[in-house]
Amino acid sequence: AQKITQTQPGMFVQEKEAVTLDCTYDTSDQSYGLFWYKQPSSGEMIFLIYQGSYDEQNATEGRYSLNFQKARKSANLVISASQLGDSAMYFCAMREGTGSARQLTFGSGTQLTVLP
Amino acid sequence: KAGVTQTPRYLIKTRGQQVTLSCSPISGHRSVSWYQQTPGQGLQFLFEYFSETQRNKGNFPGRFSGRQFSNSRSEMNVSTLELGDSALYLCASSLRGARTDTQYFGPGTRLTVL
């Protein structure tokens, strides 16, 4: 089974509007971390936001917020007031807490295009 | 603070050759992880090093190996290159590699195998 599922291969949003990128995850661990990264065409993975499984509040970082619904195992990224520079590939990733499996497991990504 | 650096940025090799990629983590970070990114397989974990020890390894053949030095810099080596090894190789560093640690990525090395 996929550990991280991103069901939107591509998304379009008008500049200055908000957009939600979906992410669902699968784990039996109680302790885990969820991350979102942005990858522009240049290739570098840019860290955006982190949510811990025990965090009660949804994480926010500037225009980015994470809509964390633990019971549904979803961790959607919300980008407010989209900018042209937000056009990129976005990856959801999980890091489980047990044993040696502490690497990041990535979803397949969502290609976001911001339209002027 | 300087970010993660990777050298070289681009490489072109032929089948059967070997290649060494280098990664310098953020100062103070002791955990270095390597990932391979391809259009078909997406992002896949290769291995993680912490304090010069390989702590975790992904599902890759033995042709893929790595090491970490006492200054936390890391290298990965791919021997007997195959066409399928063409990929973007990303290095990431974090403080300790704990669950809550954020991994910060370098710009990647784009390897083309002809």
Side-chain angles (χ1 to χ4, degrees):
Chain A
Q2 292 286 336
K3 291 216 170 200
I4 299 284
T5 303
Q6 294 180 253
T7 57
Q8 307 151 314
M11 289 277 287
F12 292 89
V13 65
Q14 211 68 39
E15 194 178 9
K16 299 180 186 173
E17 291 187 349
V19 63
T20 298
L21 307 184
D22 294 341
C23 172
T24 57
Y25 59 92
D26 181 28
T27 181
S28 56
D29 284 356
Q30 296 302 309
S31 172
Y32 51 89
L34 296 159
F35 301 81
W36 277 91
Y37 287 87
K38 169 185 176 182
Q39 188 177 42
S41 55
S42 59
E44 183 170 358
M45 297 284 280
I46 301 167
F47 166 71
L48 296 177
I49 197 167
Y50 164 80
Q51 179 85 42
S53 59
Y54 295 121
D55 295 340
E56 294 186 354
Q57 304 269 14
N58 285 344
T60 61
E61 290 283 352
R63 294 186 300 110
Y64 304 107
S65 61
L66 202 152
N67 184 0
F68 181 48
Q69 296 186 47
K70 195 170 181 177
R72 296 181 59 190
K73 294 189 174 178
S74 77
N76 298 339
L77 176 71
V78 180
I79 305 174
S80 63
S82 296
Q83 302 171 356
L84 295 177
D86 293 335
S87 293
M89 195 74 160
Y90 288 80
F91 290 95
C92 178
M94 176 173 65
R95 196 173 200 172
E96 295 169 287
T98 57
S100 63
R102 286 191 292 253
Q103 72 268 24
L104 284 173
T105 303
F106 286 87
S108 54
T110 295
Q111 180 69 49
L112 177 66
T113 303
V114 181
L115 302 170
Chain B
K1 214 181 235 188
V4 178
T5 58
Q6 291 187 244
T7 56
R9 293 292 311 277
Y10 301 91
L11 264 179
I12 299 175
K13 293 285 187 180
T14 56
R15 278 184 302 172
Q17 287 187 309
Q18 76 164 20
V19 66
T20 299
L21 312 182
S22 180
C23 171
S24 292
I26 292 170
S27 178
H29 284 193
R30 295 169 63 193
S31 169
V32 174
S33 297
W34 289 88
Y35 295 85
Q36 181 197 64
Q37 186 177 24
T38 60
Q41 299 297 318
L43 279 147
Q44 292 185 287
F45 170 73
L46 279 157
F47 25 66
E48 180 203 4
Y49 286 87
F50 180 79
S51 292
E52 302 177 65
T53 301
Q54 187 181 90
R55 196 158 66 169
N56 197 7
K57 189 177 194 304
N59 189 23
F60 278 83
R63 300 185 298 107
F64 292 82
S65 62
R67 59 178 174 168
Q68 186 180 34
F69 302 95
S70 58
N71 61 359
S72 294
R73 190 178 70 86
S74 177
E75 289 181 347
M76 68 162 280
N77 185 77
V78 188
S79 62
T80 320
L81 283 165
E82 300 178 359
L83 295 179
D85 298 333
S86 294
L88 179 66
Y89 290 88
L90 291 161
C91 164
S93 77
S94 66
L95 274 172
R96 298 167 291 119
R99 171 184 58 83
T100 57
D101 283 358
T102 295
Q103 289 191 343
Y104 295 92
F105 284 79
T109 295
R110 194 167 294 277
L111 172 65
T112 302
V113 182
L114 303 176

